[in-house]
Amino acid sequence: MQRYFANISPQETIVLPKDPAHHLVKVMRAKIGTEIELVLADHCVYRAVLTETAPEVKLQITKRLTINSELPVSVVLACGIPKTKEKPELIVQKATEMGADKIVFFDAARSISHWQENKRERKITRLQKIAKSAAEQSHRNKVPEIKYCDNLDQLLDRYQTTKRVVAWEESAKQGETSALSQQFQRLRTGDSILAIFGPEGGLTSEEVMKMNSAGVISVGLGPRILRTETAPLYFMAAISYATELL
Amino acid sequence: MQRYFANISPQETIVLPKDPAHHLVKVMRAKIGTEIELVLADHCVYRAVLTETAPEVKLQITKRLTINSELPVSVVLACGIPKTKEKPELIVQKATEMGADKIVFFDAARSISHWQENKRERKITRLQKIAKSAAEQSHRNKVPEIKYCDNLDQLLDRYQTTKRVVAWEESAKQGETSALSQQFQRLRTGDSILAIFGPEGGLTSEEVMKMNSAGVISVGLGPRILRTETAPLYFMAAISYATELL
C-alpha cells in the first residue's frame, strides 16, 4: 500500500500537502475510495481513504495502525564528506531504508569536497528529499534528518548520544573483532548511538585520537576494507541484525 | 598497499598479466623497487617488488603473507534479475567488498529484464570485471564468481549448499525475527550458504513454496521494506557481523 508522510497533527479529515497530493492523484492516478497509509506528525501510521481529488486532495482517516518499523535505538550516522555527489545520495537512500534516525555530513580532515555555504542548503534539501522518498518506500514511521557540521569538534559537541563509536580500519588490522558487538550488546531500547565514518582517504590518527579522548570507541567492521559509502551501510545492517533479529 | 590478482601459480618471478601490468606501471606510475601485494592462484597473498617494467612487467616475490580476509563461510548470493543495469553493478561491487563467494543472477517470475543469450556473456564479463576491481580494493583473497541461471529450478539444482535461505518479506510482516540468526548460529567454518532475493516486484508465493519444498528456509530481514539491491547487502553485512564480529 502507498505510504506518505504529512507533517499534520492527527485529525479526521486530512488535506494532503502539494507533493504527496500530486503523486497520489497525478502519478499514481488514485481514484476516490483508494486506501493509503499516512504517517502524521505523531510518527504514527494511519489508514486513510481518498474522498476528494479537487480542488484539494482530501482523505478521511479510518484507522490508526499500530505498525512501528523504527529501530529500537536511535542511530546518528556521521560521514566525512565524500568526494562525489553520488555517494552522499547512496548513503542517505540506503541508510534510510535500514533505519537511520539522523545522517550528518561533516567536513573531515581528508575530505576533498567541501560543501560551500552558498550551496549547502540546496544539497541538504536534495538529500532530505531522497530520505523522504526512501522512508515512504521502506515504510518507515519517520523521515531521517539530514545535517551538516563544519568540522569534527562541532560534530562531537552537537551529538552527545548514549554511545559513540568510530569505524577505524586500524582496529580491524590489529585483529580487533569484538568492540562493535560489545557496544551493541550494551544498548538499551531508547538509547542513541553516534557512528562516525571517514571520507575516502580515511580519518587521520589525530581525528581518531581526538574522538577517543572524547569517549568515542574505535570499532572494526571486519577484515575487508570497505569503501567510504559501504562502511555506514554495513553498520546499519549490523545494528539492525543485533537489535532486531538476534 | 596496491593489491592485484594474478591467476598464476606461486613462483619466484611473476610476469604480471596485461591489465594489472598496465594499471601498475601506466596508471599508478610505479617505479622499479615499488612493493605491492599479489594474490596468486592459490588465493594466498604475497609481497612482491617490481623489478622490470619493459618489455614485460616483472615482479620478485619476497614474502608469503598470512593475511586472510575471507568470510569463514562461503556465501552464494542469488538475486532475481533487477530492472536496471545499475543495480547488478551495485550489488556486485558492494557484495564483493563484504565477502561474497559467488553472485548469481537468475531470471525470476517477476523479473522484468531478461538477459538475452546473445548479451549474457558481455554482461557477466562486465560484472566480473567490477568484482575483480572491488576485490582488489577491499583486499580480498578471492574474486567472487558471477553466474547466471535461467530460472529458479536451475538455481536450486546447481547450488546445493550446506544451508539455503530466502529473504521473504511476508516473514517480516508476520513478525518473524529469529529465523536468520538461527541459521547463522548453526553455520560452521567451511560451510556454504545460498541466500536468495527477489527482483523489484518480489518473489511470487509459488516461487517461495517451491523453495520451501526444496528445504530453503524463509527468513525476514527486519521490519522495514528493503529495495531489491539493498536486501543482499543487508544480508552480507549481517553474516559478516554474525560470523566475524560476534
Side-chain angles (χ1 to χ4, degrees), chain A residues 205-224:
Chain A
S205 33
E206 290 72 34
E207 284 178 310
V208 175
M209 272 164 56
K210 185 182 274 184
M211 290 190 235
N212 292 162
S213 309
V216 180
I217 311 285
S218 298
V219 297
L221 303 180
R224 291 165 298 283

Side-chain angles (χ1 to χ4, degrees), chain A residues 185-229:
Chain A
Q185 278 155 14
R186 287 178 194 151
L187 284 170
R188 298 288 161 260
T189 298
D191 277 358
S192 53
I193 184 167
L194 171 69
I196 306 173
F197 303 88
E200 283 84 355
L203 296 160
T204 63
S205 33
E206 290 72 34
E207 284 178 310
V208 175
M209 272 164 56
K210 185 182 274 184
M211 290 190 235
N212 292 162
S213 309
V216 180
I217 311 285
S218 298
V219 297
L221 303 180
R224 291 165 298 283
I225 297 171
L226 302 177
R227 281 174 214 239
T228 187
E229 74 279 17

Side-chain angles (χ1 to χ4, degrees), chain B residues 231-245:
Chain B
L233 308 182
Y234 180 105
F235 180 88
M236 288 309 306
I239 200 168
S240 157
Y241 178 76
T243 62
E244 297 183 311
L245 300 186

